[in-house]
């Protein structure tokens, strides 16, 4: 047996229903030149057992859809995953996820398929998106053998891009929420964090339009330029 094949994790065993649902997931659509208001977005927040992309687990998922320039309050996604082996630590407690909630959670494979069905072919928004993207990609691979291919845009980068005059010491989600006077029902709760991130995104989209950035593709291209300038400016 090839050594690398032996080291590679075995593909998860899925029932026929999950395999068929995975097979029918739409391919992610590329970012286009249509108006921002015409784009459906999914805003995602993951609560995890820690910040280690290689070791920690996704504990709960919250997601909301933005359609026709507004948050679709009738379509929200929230799941706590079945993680009975998860030890209680400070990272877990801050999310309010005790042992009983994790023991009663959804099957991770089922919850992740449902999430991908909810996302559909839409691009994804998240605050500190590389972390959520990395955690979700690993969870999908381990639970479903599925490769994440969706485009992610980072709201934590869009905010300073579109507000260059605003200087924040930490520039976390709480700082931008306070900057725009938004109200948060419960921080460190996946669905509440997804909701307030979506509200922040709508403010940023309005600012983008005023700055002649009125398509998803234009916004991504400007974000790439902004990121390159920042790297150059820091001498990296």
């Amino acid at each position: 047996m090839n050594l690398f094949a032996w080291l590679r994790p075995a593909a998860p065993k899925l029932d026929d229903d999950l395999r068929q649902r995975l097979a029918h997931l739409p391919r992610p659509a590329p970012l286009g030149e249509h108006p921002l208001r015409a784009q459906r977005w999914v805003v995602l927040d993951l609560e995890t057992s820690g910040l280690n992309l290689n070791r920690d687990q996704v504990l709960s998922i919250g997601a909301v859809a933005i359609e026709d320039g507004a948050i679709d309050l009738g379509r929200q996604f929230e799941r706590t995953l079945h993680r009975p082996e998860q030890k209680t630590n400070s990272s877990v407690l801050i999310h309010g996820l005790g042992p009983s909630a994790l023991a009663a959670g959804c099957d991770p494979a089922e919850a992740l398929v449902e999430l991908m069905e909810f996302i559909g072919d839409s691009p994804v928004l998240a605050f500190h998106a590389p972390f959520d993207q990395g955690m979700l990609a690993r969870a999908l691979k381990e639970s479903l053998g599925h490769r994440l291919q969706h485009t992610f845009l980072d709201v934590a980068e869009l905010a300073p891009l579109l507000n260059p005059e605003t200087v924040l010491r930490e520039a976390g989600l709480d700082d931008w929420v306070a900057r725009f006077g938004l109200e948060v029902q419960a921080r460190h709760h996946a669905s509440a964090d997804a909701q307030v991130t979506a509200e922040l995104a709508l403010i940023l989209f309005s600012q983008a339009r005023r700055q002649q950035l009125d398509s998803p593709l234009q916004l991504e291209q400007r974000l790439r330029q902004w990121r390159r300038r920042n790297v150059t400016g820091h001498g990296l």
Side-chain angles (χ1 to χ4, degrees), residues 68-102:
D68 299 321
I71 299 169
D72 185 355
L73 297 177
R75 294 200 65 205
Q76 301 187 44
F77 184 93
E78 183 176 7
R79 298 289 186 278
T80 295
L81 305 191
H82 181 65
R83 302 291 195 196
E85 75 287 352
Q86 176 60 50
K87 295 180 180 179
T88 301
N89 58 37
S90 58
S91 296
V92 175
L93 290 175
I94 197 172
H95 307 311
L97 296 170
S100 59
L102 295 173

Side-chain angles (χ1 to χ4, degrees), residues 30-32 36 41 123 151-154 157-158 161 213 215-228:
L31 296 181
L36 288 172
W41 305 85
T151 297
F152 277 65
L153 292 187
D154 191 356
E157 291 184 328
L158 290 176
L161 162 68
L213 297 170
S215 79
L217 184 59
Q218 281 183 317
L219 196 57
E220 185 199 36
Q221 290 172 341
R222 182 66 62 84
L223 190 58
R224 288 175 184 267
Q225 294 170 1
W226 176 85
R227 195 181 294 127
R228 284 197 295 268

Side-chain angles (χ1 to χ4, degrees), residues 7-236:
L7 291 173
R8 191 181 303 122
K13 294 182 179 179
L14 306 176
D15 61 32
D16 290 340
D17 177 64
L18 286 178
R19 283 200 299 271
Q20 290 178 13
R21 289 165 66 185
L22 279 175
H24 285 89
L25 290 175
R27 292 181 62 84
L31 296 181
E33 298 182 1
H34 49 270
L36 288 172
R37 190 179 293 273
Q39 175 66 59
R40 179 184 187 266
W41 305 85
V42 170
V43 185
L44 176 70
D45 185 81
L46 303 179
E47 304 297 355
T48 65
S49 60
L51 300 177
N52 189 310
L53 284 167
N54 298 313
R55 183 183 64 238
D56 287 307
Q57 292 185 312
V58 175
L59 302 181
S60 66
I61 305 168
V64 298
I66 294 176
E67 296 194 68
D68 299 321
I71 299 169
D72 185 355
L73 297 177
R75 294 200 65 205
Q76 301 187 44
F77 184 93
E78 183 176 7
R79 298 289 186 278
T80 295
L81 305 191
H82 181 65
R83 302 291 195 196
E85 75 287 352
Q86 176 60 50
K87 295 180 180 179
T88 301
N89 58 37
S90 58
S91 296
V92 175
L93 290 175
I94 197 172
H95 307 311
L97 296 170
S100 59
L102 295 173
C106 304
D107 172 66
E110 175 71 24
L112 289 165
V113 168
E114 290 176 348
L115 173 65
M116 298 312 294
E117 290 171 338
F118 180 81
I119 293 174
D121 66 353
S122 302
V124 180
L125 297 167
F127 200 92
H128 292 148
F131 177 77
D132 291 86
Q133 185 176 13
M135 290 296 293
L136 179 58
R138 198 182 110 231
L140 289 168
K141 188 69 175 177
E142 291 178 352
S143 294
L144 297 168
H146 181 74
R147 185 163 70 93
L148 181 64
Q149 301 181 66
H150 288 68
T151 297
F152 277 65
L153 292 187
D154 191 356
V155 178
E157 291 184 328
L158 290 176
L161 162 68
L162 298 167
N163 294 272
E165 77 290 348
T166 299
V167 179
L168 296 174
R169 186 171 62 86
E170 297 293 339
L173 180 57
D174 288 330
D175 299 283
W176 286 107
V177 164
R179 163 70 176 79
F180 292 110
L182 299 173
E183 294 184 4
V184 188
Q185 294 180 347
R187 278 286 281 116
H188 303 295
H189 187 280
S191 60
D193 284 357
Q195 175 80 22
V196 76
T197 302
E199 293 173 11
L200 175 58
L202 288 177
I203 292 173
L204 297 175
F205 289 160
S206 178
Q207 292 180 326
R209 287 190 290 271
R210 291 197 296 270
Q211 296 176 36
Q212 284 72 55
L213 297 170
D214 193 20
S215 79
L217 184 59
Q218 281 183 317
L219 196 57
E220 185 199 36
Q221 290 172 341
R222 182 66 62 84
L223 190 58
R224 288 175 184 267
Q225 294 170 1
W226 176 85
R227 195 181 294 127
R228 284 197 295 268
R229 285 199 302 269
N230 279 353
V231 170
T232 303
H234 286 86
L236 299 176

